[in-house]
Amino acid sequence: MATLVLSSVGSALGGALLPSGLSFFGATISGAALGGAIGTGLGAYVDAQLFGSSASAQGPRLNDLHVMGSTEGAPIPRLYGRARLAGQVIWATNYKEHVSTRASGGGKGGGGSSVTVTEYSYSVSFAVGLCEGEVTRIGRIWADGKPLSLAGLTWRLHKGAGDAQPDPLIEAVEGADAAPAYRGTAYIVFENMDVTPFGNRIPQLSFEVFRSLSEVEGLVRAVTMIPGAGEFVYDTATQREILSETSSRALNMHTSDGRTDWHVALDALEATCPNAHAVSLVVAWFGDDLRCGQCTVRPKVEIGHKITQPGSWSVAGLGRASAQVVSQIEGRPAFGGTPSDASVVRALQDLKARGMTVVFYPFVMMDVPPDNTKPDPWGGASQPAYPWRGRITCDPAPGREGTPDKTSAAVAQVASFFGSATPGAGEW
């Protein structure tokens, strides 16, 4: 109390006695500021003598509660395909206050004054109406214009079915007889969301909402799964690259809800195309020459040295240290590496567990960089950069002078291309 009183008195006296202020090292300090600083110091000393070495400080509390706009009578959007929608808050609880205290200050060896700081945080449960149902799913969510991570949040999407039941949280708060089911309206419920990062308010939310057209997506019976390249793109287990003793990064988890890319993609497929029950899983190896007699096909990695956990890259018994590296473009891999065998096996197992028919689809990508000097069987000065695999041919190509096409020499080139590989060669 003395700190506040003497600070005010000192500011008033300083402003009256030294209206023009004083100059220190070329800087002018007003009399009010100087008097206030002296008064604050004296007041702190008086408080310490009167109340001891411990004091308490109060953090800011939330007094005026504001939530995201909720307009009565606003039209309900109707969505086809995919769109980004803001929605309307259709239900919310009161804010819940959480109090925490911590000690701050204190000198070396226990000397000096210490301050007990009381801090307040807030959480709230609420529901946001999205559009007319029934929707397929939601994708990304933005809070105040920035991507919102769903990891650690408790949320539920109600797709807007005509026979939907009330949300269990709304029913628990409002009572079984007073909880609306919002049938025919798609909405999302957030349970006890911590709003501290958003200035103790519900953030402005927008949602990527999908609504499949059953007349179109329902006709899809089979899909081809790509990209086919990427060392762990198909892995159902989260794989991480170890960057140092204290840091790492996820290699196959780039989603807002903390699940692997594979799981999110497969869930989206099942939601969007419910009748797609056959999947061709593309797995790429790399060719290196358009001349079939000179071309080799092999698995490759993106980087020669990379520490990954919990799994390590291995294809057909070949480890990372022994594998070739894909060509580079401006210091970055031109392709993702061949998917690791173990990750492919896990992907196949997951597809089967989902009740899908699976076809393993080997694929050849041509890793021929722009600066190559290889003779072009089609007559170019050199082979084109990253050509289509369909241009692998005998040398010279059919139709060109000296071509071995339709001769025993072509047979020999084709035999060299296929080599001694047999079905079942290699290890899984």
Side-chain angles (χ1 to χ4, degrees):
M1 179 62 72
T3 301
L4 296 175
V5 173
L6 292 181
S7 174
S8 300
V9 172
S11 179
L13 291 176
L17 298 176
L18 299 170
S20 60
L22 297 175
S23 179
F24 293 91
F25 301 100
T28 300
I29 302 176
S30 69
L34 181 60
I38 295 173
T40 298
L42 292 174
Y45 175 78
V46 172
D47 279 339
Q49 297 301 313
L50 292 175
F51 304 108
S53 60
S54 297
S56 63
Q58 296 281 327
R61 297 188 69 177
L62 186 62
N63 295 316
D64 190 11
L65 307 183
H66 296 280
V67 299
M68 184 168 58
S70 180
T71 305
E72 184 176 358
I76 300 176
R78 177 177 291 182
L79 168 68
Y80 298 96
R82 179 180 69 170
R84 181 171 174 173
L85 302 175
Q88 292 278 331
V89 174
I90 56 177
W91 175 85
T93 64
N94 293 326
Y95 282 84
K96 182 184 295 184
E97 185 176 83
H98 308 275
V99 182
S100 62
T101 59
R102 60 182 175 85
S104 178
K108 184 177 180 181
S113 62
S114 63
V115 177
T116 301
V117 179
T118 302
E119 297 178 323
Y120 301 90
S121 62
Y122 296 85
S123 63
V124 64
S125 299
F126 60 97
V128 180
L130 300 175
C131 63
E132 181 179 307
E134 184 170 353
V135 302
T136 305
R137 64 186 179 93
I138 60 170
R140 294 167 292 179
I141 301 177
W142 294 266
D144 291 341
K146 298 179 180 179
L148 175 67
S149 173
L150 296 177
L153 294 180
T154 301
W155 62 278
R156 290 177 294 279
L157 172 65
H158 296 265
K159 297 182 178 181
D163 58 351
Q165 298 301 310
D167 182 83
L169 176 63
I170 298 178
E171 191 172 39
V173 173
E174 303 295 339
D177 297 332
Y182 301 109
R183 290 173 179 165
T185 299
Y187 67 101
I188 184 171
V189 176
F190 290 93
E191 186 170 336
N192 206 32
M193 174 190 276
D194 181 11
V195 293
T196 305
F198 309 106
N200 290 323
R201 61 175 178 80
I202 296 177
Q204 295 292 329
L205 297 172
S206 58
F207 306 83
E208 183 182 29
V209 185
F210 295 79
R211 184 177 187 181
S212 299
L213 304 176
S214 58
E215 297 81 1
V216 178
E217 285 88 343
L219 299 176
V220 178
R221 299 290 188 270
V223 298
T224 298
M225 185 72 67
I226 56 175
E231 295 174 358
F232 299 101
V233 292
Y234 294 148
D235 211 325
T236 61
T238 302
Q239 301 291 340
R240 305 191 68 84
E241 179 184 4
I242 307 303
L243 303 175
S244 67
E245 293 183 358
T246 58
S247 65
S248 65
R249 68 182 183 99
L251 296 173
N252 63 327
M253 186 179 68
H254 304 89
T255 60
S256 62
D257 57 1
R259 296 185 299 148
T260 64
D261 301 333
W262 172 267
H263 283 131
V264 172
L266 262 292
D267 288 350
L269 171 64
E270 291 184 312
T272 305
C273 302
N275 296 320
H277 298 304
V279 175
S280 294
L281 188 69
V282 177
V283 176
W285 287 29
F286 296 91
D288 58 7
D289 202 306
L290 288 177
R291 299 167 295 170
C292 68
Q294 306 295 322
C295 182
T296 62
V297 179
R298 67 188 74 203
K300 292 186 178 182
V301 294
E302 300 156 14
I303 300 174
H305 178 73
K306 181 192 293 185
I307 302 174
T308 60
Q309 288 182 351
S312 57
W313 185 90
S314 176
V315 174
L318 190 68
R320 183 181 298 274
S322 304
Q324 287 192 4
V325 178
V326 297
S327 62
Q328 306 286 302
I329 299 178
E330 297 181 353
R332 300 175 63 88
F335 300 92
T338 300
S340 176
D341 280 349
S343 68
V344 173
V345 170
R346 284 191 282 269
L348 295 171
Q349 291 172 338
D350 184 51
L351 289 168
K352 296 293 289 184
R354 293 172 184 257
M356 296 184 178
T357 302
V358 187
V359 175
F360 178 74
Y361 186 169
F363 195 89
V364 176
M365 292 185 178
M366 297 303 295
D367 189 12
V368 180
D371 57 355
N372 79 91
T373 58
K374 299 175 180 178
D376 183 6
W378 299 96
S382 61
Q383 295 185 19
Y386 308 118
W388 178 46
R389 59 175 177 157
R391 293 182 62 81
I392 298 175
T393 186
C394 56
D395 183 33
R400 296 193 57 77
E401 183 179 356
T403 180
D405 186 32
K406 301 179 182 179
T407 70
S408 58
V411 173
Q413 290 184 16
V414 172
S416 176
F417 174 73
F418 283 101
S420 59
T422 59
E427 298 177 1
W428 287 89

